[in-house]
Amino acid sequence: MPTTPLLKLGTRRSPLAMAQAYEARSRLCAAHGWEECAVELVPVVASGDKIQDRPLAEIGGKALWTRELDAWLAEGEIDAAVHSLKDVETWRPDSFTLAAILPRADKRDVLIGAATVHALPQGATIGTSAPRRAAQLLHMRPDCRVVTLRGNVATRLAKLAAGEFDATFLAAAGLVRLGETGTGHPLETKDWLPAPAQGAIGIECRTDDQRVRDLLQAIDHAPSRAEAMAERALLAALGGSCHSSIAVVCDHSESMLSMRAVLFSPDGAECVEGAASFAAGDNAGPERLAEDLLARATAGISAHFTGPK
């Protein structure tokens, strides 16, 4: 093996982000017959990890997760960047390409603090900074109170254990990747929908770097790509932002996708839902569903979506 790495993968430094980078490296080495040293992991402390006292929507949105890695990628300090795809902005620079999406993990949210949403105590205080989770909770349980909770998985679990709130939500995929498989109660997607692309790991590289694109292509998982990109296409067609409450799940079966989506007003009082089936890779399917949802949305919902650019 060469003394210098064949690939430099950038990643956030948080424990979950590092676990995702380890998975990406393992899959690359297995696909190409490399030893581990062929792929160097280059961690960075992202802006989103530095600021923990305010919701992301108030301080710059999802760009706070990608800003530093984008700069390194553009400058050639790294060859590719590993992302939790649900945290990547809907519209990305043309100079970057999402060259690989790894096999998608569990799409569900996990509720920690009660067995079900309906089992939460009357007037329970719930910690979350996600507009989707807050609105979906308040739609089902308007008696609950939502307080802002930021931080990595360990921080959130520690605050829950300290009694700062009664319950919280975390992504099942993140818990599994951190070895926390027995934590909380998974919420089935028929009752509680996740975020767009939840559970998917994406790897971006420079669009003009054909060598890296070819290397990453070897670990791209077509069914996971079809699901995640359809969900991101829905988000783009809706014109959603970090302030928008959108829940969606897409399931792949025999080259077809089945999608269900719900839009909420921020307080959860209003919602509109819809479903569609279409061929994998057909972005017109999510666009038609977005058009239908926006046409039926109340003013309290549509005010938080701009429609397609």
Side-chain angles (χ1 to χ4, degrees):
M1 294 296 296
T3 56
T4 57
L6 298 174
L7 275 180
K8 289 186 176 183
L9 290 184
T11 174
R12 287 167 49 207
R13 195 184 292 274
S14 75
L16 177 54
M18 291 301 298
Q20 294 175 162
Y22 293 142
E23 179 179 343
R25 178 171 67 183
S26 177
R27 290 184 181 278
L28 278 165
C29 290
H32 296 292
W34 295 341
E35 295 180 12
E36 191 175 275
C37 61
V39 180
E40 179 184 350
L41 301 185
V42 186
V44 65
V45 178
S47 297
D49 292 313
K50 297 173 186 175
I51 306 170
Q52 298 290 332
D53 60 343
R54 285 164 287 168
L56 281 181
E58 295 180 2
I59 54 175
K62 292 181 178 181
L64 295 181
W65 298 129
T66 59
R67 180 182 298 161
E68 287 81 5
L69 290 173
D70 284 356
W72 281 4
L73 189 55
E75 294 165 5
E77 295 294 323
I78 56 175
D79 299 305
V82 182
H83 298 293
S84 178
L85 197 51
K86 75 170 185 175
D87 293 331
V88 175
E89 310 97 295
T90 307
W91 294 277
R92 299 290 289 148
D94 291 339
S95 55
F96 299 153
T97 293
L98 190 60
I101 296 178
L102 304 189
R104 196 173 186 181
D106 196 330
K107 305 168 189 174
R108 298 174 294 177
D109 270 346
V110 169
L111 175 62
I112 306 169
T116 67
V117 171
H118 292 296
L120 289 165
Q122 186 73 18
T125 299
I126 313 301
T128 182
S129 61
R132 169 190 63 89
R133 288 170 173 157
Q136 200 164 190
L137 168 71
L138 293 172
H139 181 73
M140 298 173 67
R141 290 290 305 273
D143 59 290
C144 289
R145 185 173 72 95
V146 175
V147 297
T148 298
L149 172 63
R150 293 277 320 283
N152 62 31
V153 171
T155 297
R156 298 185 196 192
L157 292 177
K159 289 185 176 183
L160 177 62
E164 295 187 22
F165 40 85
D166 298 305
T168 190
F169 301 98
L170 290 169
L175 290 169
V176 169
R177 287 169 179 144
L178 290 171
E180 299 276 358
T181 52
T183 300
H185 301 272
L187 301 176
E188 298 303 325
T189 57
K190 64 182 179 66
D191 304 313
W192 180 277
L193 293 181
Q198 185 155 306
I201 298 172
I203 309 177
E204 277 190 327
C205 67
R206 291 179 295 278
T207 302
D208 62 1
D209 193 335
Q210 194 61 49
R211 179 188 76 91
V212 174
R213 292 180 66 170
D214 290 343
L215 291 173
L216 294 176
Q217 175 63 36
I219 60 171
D220 186 50
H221 187 248
S224 298
R225 171 178 286 275
E227 290 180 358
M229 297 308 286
E231 292 170 14
R232 286 175 61 81
L234 177 74
L235 192 58
L238 289 168
S241 70
C242 288
H243 296 279
S244 309
S245 300
I246 172 174
V248 59
V249 68
C250 198
D251 296 305
H252 182 279
S253 178
E254 298 181 353
S255 299
M256 292 295 294
L257 296 176
S258 299
M259 176 179 281
R260 290 187 296 119
V262 185
L263 312 184
F264 296 92
S265 59
D267 61 2
E270 304 164 46
C271 75
V272 59
E273 56 186 295
S277 296
F278 44 88
D282 175 18
N283 280 350
E287 290 168 2
R288 287 192 297 269
L289 179 55
E291 183 179 0
D292 172 62
L293 289 168
L294 291 175
R296 293 186 289 114
T298 61
I301 298 171
S302 60
H304 302 279
F305 296 89
T306 63
K309 281 189 173 181

